[in-house]
Amino acid sequence: MDGIVEFFRTAPIPPEVFAPSLGLIILLPLLGAFVCGVFGKWLGRANVHLVACSAIAGAFVLSLMAFWATSDAAGGRVVSMPNAFGLERDVVRYAISYDYGTWFAAGDFRVNFGLLVDHLSGILLLVITGIGFLIHLYSTSYMEHDDGYWRFFAYLNLFVAAMLTLVMADNLVLLFVGWEGVGMASYLLIGFWYTDSAKAWAGRKAFVTNRIGDFAFLIATFLLILTVNAFSQQADPRDYNSAGSSRARYTQGLLEKGPVTFKGLEKMALALPEGTGGAVSLATPIEAGPLAGYTFGGVMTATMLLFLLGAAGKSAQLPLYVWLPDAMAGPTPVSALIHAATMVTAGVYLFCRMSSLLVLSPTAMATIAVVGALTSLLAALIAFAQDDIKKVLAYSTVSQLGIMFMGVGMGVFWAAALHLLTHACFKACLFLGAGSVMHGNGDETDIKKLGGLYKEMKWTHATFLVSTLAITGIIPLSGFFSKDAIFHGVHHNHLHDLHWVSGFVYAMGLLITACTAFYMSRVYLLTFTGKRSPEAKVAHAHESSWFMTLPLVVLAFLSVVTLVYALPLMPRSGGGMQPVFENFLSPVLRPAEAVARAAQTVALDHSTPAFVDYLIAWLVALSGGATAAFLYLKFFPAQVGKPVPAFARAVRRTAHNKFYVDELYEFILIRPVKFVAFILFRVVDALVIDTVLVRGTAYVTEKVGLGLRRLQTGDAQAYAAIMALAILGGAVYALLQVLS
């Protein structure tokens, strides 16, 4: 046993040797995207498959090496890296990084191209490249008849490269490059079949909606830069001492790394709580600059709320969630990639990475938790009435992301990250399973026109069932433990002066659990059980090829085994046991816990769920599933042919039409903007600028020219007469002047 432990605690490549190769993790998918996009049309289908899949497989192997290196403890010495913003003895444990030098600089502002892999980004690397490879393998069969295969795989590789950049960046600016990259790649993939105007429109909708959030992200970044500058000017030695730094080291770190490096932001967060005895605290006003007069705490709250709006765009939360259900317009593997392994998890990752700043603002945390709860419940209610299998799963994604935001908002960062991991496994399996169902049923997506597939698609059925039970929250699958870890933390953590939030969000969480169990059981029952629908496109379904079923089996297996991360198997300092994943992420989240403890903004509870907690969660999930089974196996079949009450029809119609949120946005936002744009175009641009200023100037010049042209006759006698008259007039004028 000791030999096995020692094997996994000794990286195959020493961390200091492997660190310069971190860039290859991003470069391989980027190179694959270039080759497939530029030469793919001439390489042929098989070669494009080989290049695209090999690029992601290579990135996965390198990610595995990087992840292994972050846990290296050869010779009893844990891997660590120096912290440029801390004292010389200050090191970051269980992390490797490499700085490729200055990316750009303007005055005293500097941004480096630096990559960081710790336990948080390391687990995300495995999710992105591992599940990404399975989706690539699946796509080789799913897209076998599509003529645009080379574009598709180029876009997939580009998507993965952008997401890897996002999670490996050691500063906000480089993270924003990946943030924008996944937005661009999602636009290309959602609108992949651009000849269909509806699908092209869905791509544009996703792109424009995300630009709103990205603008908020930029403003938040600018506010952070100004806050760091103000802190560095106003802080005294006591502030730096409380953060384990000094003025000289912190200033040197700013000069070497720039103001938006995550480790530098952590040091500032550690210095801001009240009681450190320094010159700067959350209540201290900023003395100079554009933020003069505002307190550090107020600016931090505004910054986190702006980051929330940015995260709401990428992670599909209120009010910017409307693009994600329409992302179903792209091929099904795209849905699995966007909804499970990449783009939508960006907001959750951002807040986990910036957890030490977030805990400085209970107001921002409460807002994030409430927004997550409301989004999750709204999406779950909409999913009740959707008949398109991919639409149900899309709203399920929005709902599950809301649960992660509830965890982040209440300070249960490790549980939110764990649910991100487990959700990536079972949601990818569900989406790829839906694609397999479509593939075997003539591209049918209406669950009411399927039925009875458990006999004809046994592999797809088995894996879909496992993933459905996982997301529903049934013991002993991973989704139960990760979701319950969030709800337990939400229930027992308390925000300063906002104690009502924990009770409200917990109650909402139980309701959401029941709703999730209901609509997911509905999808499973209508798709796989019962008799074959007489409206089915094909009389008999066929199972997909092993290129599609193998990823399903692997993902279903992962949906089970990842429960180990939630089990309390690790000793906790101070006594007791803690979940494996909480222990695993403790080096990353320790600064946030220290800030919360010093600032007393949130009371963090570290207890593990009791048997009663598990029982309540299990019974709630079971009640939702049992209700769906009763309604769709017994009650509704018995009501066939009977009139449906008007109230029931109205409720279903409202939910089916997504509570008319899109129509509301059309009325209060899109039409007014279009009207203003019309006025600016027709009145300001066409009339004032084009007609009056541009054409008006040309008109006046033309008419003046026409008048002057009449004086240019070309007759020499006329010119002589005019000259004589001019001379005579001059002489008369001179004579009059003399006589006067």
Side-chain angles (χ1 to χ4, degrees), residues 179-180 183 186 204-215 309-316 320 323 343:
W179 191 274
E180 288 295 286
S186 69
R204 291 198 295 273
K205 182 178 181 180
F207 188 81
V208 172
T209 304
N210 273 276
R211 296 293 72 73
I212 298 171
D214 296 347
F215 182 64
L309 185 56
K314 282 291 179 288
S315 294
L320 302 178
W323 69 270
M343 181 172 172

Side-chain angles (χ1 to χ4, degrees), residues 584-610:
F584 183 72
L585 290 186
S586 59
V588 180
L589 301 177
R590 192 170 290 119
E593 294 182 4
V595 172
R597 191 163 48 249
Q600 297 182 345
T601 51
V602 53
L604 299 176
D605 178 81
H606 292 289
S607 65
T608 55

Side-chain angles (χ1 to χ4, degrees), residues 399 415 464 693:
S399 184
F464 200 95
L693 297 180

Side-chain angles (χ1 to χ4, degrees), residues 218-235:
L218 278 177
I219 297 175
T221 303
F222 297 152
L223 286 178
L224 265 186
I225 294 170
L226 293 173
T227 305
V228 170
N229 289 338
F231 170 78
S232 62
Q233 293 171 9
Q234 294 180 225

Side-chain angles (χ1 to χ4, degrees), residues 335-419:
S335 304
L337 194 62
I338 291 177
H339 286 250
T342 55
M343 181 172 172
V344 295
T345 62
V348 180
Y349 171 78
L350 174 69
F351 283 126
C352 289
R353 177 59 69 193
M354 302 182 66
S355 55
S356 56
L357 292 176
L358 180 58
V359 295
L360 290 171
S361 174
T363 302
M365 293 181 72
T367 305
I368 293 170
V370 171
V371 165
L374 295 176
T375 304
S376 185
L377 181 60
L378 176 65
L381 294 176
I382 294 175
F384 277 20
Q386 302 304 309
D387 296 329
D388 186 311
I389 187 171
K390 291 175 65 178
K391 280 287 181 71
V392 177
L393 296 180
Y395 282 107
S396 168
T397 298
V398 177
S399 184
Q400 295 299 306
L401 288 166
I403 293 174
M404 297 178 211
F405 270 66
M406 290 160 61
V408 165
M410 293 303 297
V412 202
F413 299 104
W414 73 269
L418 175 60
H419 197 56

